[in-house]
Amino acid sequence: MSDNVIKFRKPKPPRKAPNPMLRKLMIIAVVIIVFAAAWAYFQVTGAPAP
């Protein structure tokens, strides 16, 4: 019935592509955190490293 009515809508913002450098930095940060946690564990418990 109202097919001839113009509907003004906001255009959807373009989707940003993920930054591959940010992904690499996140992986490096996780690896460093894991090694630091393992070092802290062995320092606190006094258990010999495998």
Side-chain angles (χ1 to χ4, degrees):
M1 189 162 161
S2 61
D3 291 337
N4 61 349
V5 176
I6 298 174
K7 295 180 181 179
F8 293 97
R9 295 182 184 158
K10 265 185 147 178
K12 293 182 180 177
R15 193 170 189 180
K16 291 184 179 180
N19 190 348
M21 189 64 167
L22 182 61
R23 181 181 170 113
K24 288 180 184 178
L25 287 175
M26 288 296 289
I27 292 171
I28 292 171
V30 168
V31 169
I32 291 172
I33 289 170
V34 167
F35 277 114
W39 176 81
Y41 169 76
F42 287 116
Q43 289 297 317
V44 170
T45 62

